[in-house]
Amino acid sequence: MTEPIPARDLVTRTVAALAQALDRDDFGAAARLIAPDCVYEIRASTIAGTPAIVASYADASAWGRRHFDEVRYESAVETPDGATAAVTFTDYLLKAGGRWHRHRCRQAFTVNAAGLVVRIVHHDLPGERETLDAYFRECGVER
């Protein structure tokens, strides 16, 4: 049996709340919005389960904060398509003596009828990884 598609406003509220929690590094709030059986597809990997998914986001943020002098995050939620809403995440990175770099990616979040995220699919935007890698090299940062 197919699960019912949640109302558009529920999808928008859930995805916006999750994106805002990630922007604030509030991983406790993020965890409460992710279903226990959620899967996160990122490049060639699949991460399963709330603890592993939240740890992935937390580890990435901690790495950035260790290697850069200032890190800021913001997100923009798109209009849902059925049970899925995409978010464009923008990261601003500053290395002292260097310059700011803006990196963007897009992730699609699928929400169930209970208002929990059950699937996350990461999309690298064209050219973004390449310019980020070049910025890392300029700053002497190794990934």
Side-chain angles (χ1 to χ4, degrees):
M1 187 164 132
T2 305
E3 185 168 324
I5 295 175
R8 179 180 287 204
D9 66 323
L10 177 61
V11 174
T12 300
R13 281 194 320 270
T14 299
V15 173
L18 179 54
Q20 291 165 7
L22 294 173
D23 287 346
R24 294 187 316 269
D25 282 352
D26 185 347
F27 301 110
R32 290 187 292 277
L33 296 164
I34 298 173
D37 60 346
C38 183
V39 293
Y40 177 23
E41 300 166 23
I42 180 166
R43 298 180 192 94
S45 299
T46 299
I47 302 167
T50 306
I53 292 168
V54 171
S56 173
Y57 283 112
D59 291 347
S61 183
W63 182 89
R65 293 186 188 286
R66 278 194 313 274
H67 288 88
F68 295 94
D69 298 299
E70 189 171 340
V71 177
R72 288 187 292 133
Y73 304 117
E74 64 181 42
S75 56
V77 179
E78 298 175 18
T79 301
D81 180 9
T84 302
V87 176
T88 298
F89 287 102
T90 304
D91 304 347
Y92 297 94
L93 308 171
L94 174 68
K95 189 74 170 170
R99 61 180 174 81
W100 280 99
H101 180 77
R102 182 200 75 193
H103 173 72
R104 293 179 308 132
C105 70
R106 188 171 184 265
Q107 295 184 358
F109 295 85
T110 302
V111 177
N112 66 15
L116 297 175
V117 173
V118 294
R119 183 174 184 228
I120 306 166
V121 180
H122 178 91
H123 301 279
D124 288 311
L125 298 175
E128 288 288 325
R129 293 243 335 149
E130 295 81 4
T131 59
L132 181 62
D133 289 341
Y135 178 70
F136 287 171
R137 284 190 300 276
E138 286 175 23
C139 294
V141 172
E142 291 189 31
R143 191 185 322 207

